[in-house]
């Protein structure tokens, strides 16, 4: 019964993780366009700062793709735990960015980064628990 409950929780967290990856990639990629962006970008930016925040979002999408490819090839998704923490830290980074540049940052950024960050952390933890259980059961069989 305990194994079945773990499998159900793992399935839900895995589905949520992949949904959060889609949300992250879509949110970041759509930031390039004014018409389809999920976020409101401040129009007061000009010169070197113009589109700076949009490029940060594009770099974030590229980084997510690279990390996912790394995880697939290494078959190790435990890396998602620190990735999730860094996504949550982006909330403070965005606030800092807005304060330094004296611009208003869209209120949906914190929720976006909180959701994607927590989803990454939970998925990494579940994968870590599963790996530990598999390693422990393999060790017990060999003894």
């Amino acid at each position: 019964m305990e194994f079945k409950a773990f499998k159900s929780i793992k399935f839900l967290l895995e589905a949520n993780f992949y949904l959060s990856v889609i949300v992250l990639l879509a949110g970041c990629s759509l930031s390039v366009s004014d018409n389809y962006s999920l976020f409101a970008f401040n129009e007061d930016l000009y010169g070197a700062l113009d589109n700076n925040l949009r490029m940060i979002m594009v770099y974030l999408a590229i980084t997510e793709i690279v990390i996912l490819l790394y995880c697939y090839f290494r078959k190790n998704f435990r890396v998602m735990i620190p990735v999730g923490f860094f996504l949550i830290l982006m909330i403070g980074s965005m606030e800092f960015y807005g304060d330094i540049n004296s611009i208003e940052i869209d209120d949906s950024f914190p929720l976006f980064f909180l959701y994607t960050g927590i989803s990454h952390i939970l998925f990494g933890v579940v994968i870590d628990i599963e790996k530990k259980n598999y390693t422990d059961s393999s060790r017990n069989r060999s003894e």
Side-chain angles (χ1 to χ4, degrees):
M1 185 66 144
E2 191 176 305
F3 180 72
K4 200 172 198 172
F6 178 78
K7 282 292 205 186
S8 298
I9 291 170
K10 180 185 178 266
F11 173 78
L12 290 174
L13 290 176
E14 189 171 355
N16 182 63
F17 167 73
Y18 287 112
L19 178 64
S20 76
V21 168
I22 291 168
V23 167
L24 180 73
L25 293 176
C28 292
S29 301
L30 292 174
S31 293
V32 175
S33 168
D34 277 332
N35 298 333
Y36 301 107
S37 180
L38 302 177
F39 309 106
F41 291 97
N42 195 320
E43 299 299 324
D44 295 338
L45 294 177
Y46 56 90
L49 291 177
D50 189 28
N51 296 322
N52 194 7
L53 191 53
R54 292 176 196 268
M55 286 310 301
I56 291 170
M57 297 300 287
V58 170
Y59 291 143
L60 184 60
I62 292 168
T63 303
E64 179 76 5
I65 291 168
V66 170
I67 291 171
L68 279 172
L69 289 173
Y70 170 80
C71 290
Y72 278 117
F73 288 127
R74 299 286 302 187
K75 294 180 175 60
N76 181 4
F77 282 88
R78 290 186 231 173
V79 173
M80 289 303 156
I81 297 170
V83 170
F85 282 116
F86 283 112
L87 286 169
I88 292 172
L89 288 175
M90 286 291 292
I91 297 168
S93 299
M94 286 291 195
E95 295 292 326
F96 183 68
Y97 179 85
D99 288 344
I100 283 182
N101 294 305
S102 301
I103 59 169
E104 220 176 291
I105 301 294
D106 190 338
D107 292 335
S108 55
F109 273 118
L111 185 60
F112 173 78
F113 286 119
L114 185 65
Y115 167 67
T116 56
I118 289 175
S119 296
H120 281 62
I121 291 169
L122 290 175
F123 180 68
V125 167
V126 164
I127 294 299
D128 191 44
I129 290 170
E130 185 178 50
K131 293 265 185 192
K132 284 180 183 175
N133 286 341
Y134 177 75
T135 305
D136 290 345
S137 65
S138 295
R139 198 174 303 144
N140 291 338
R141 283 187 209 137
S142 65
E143 291 176 354

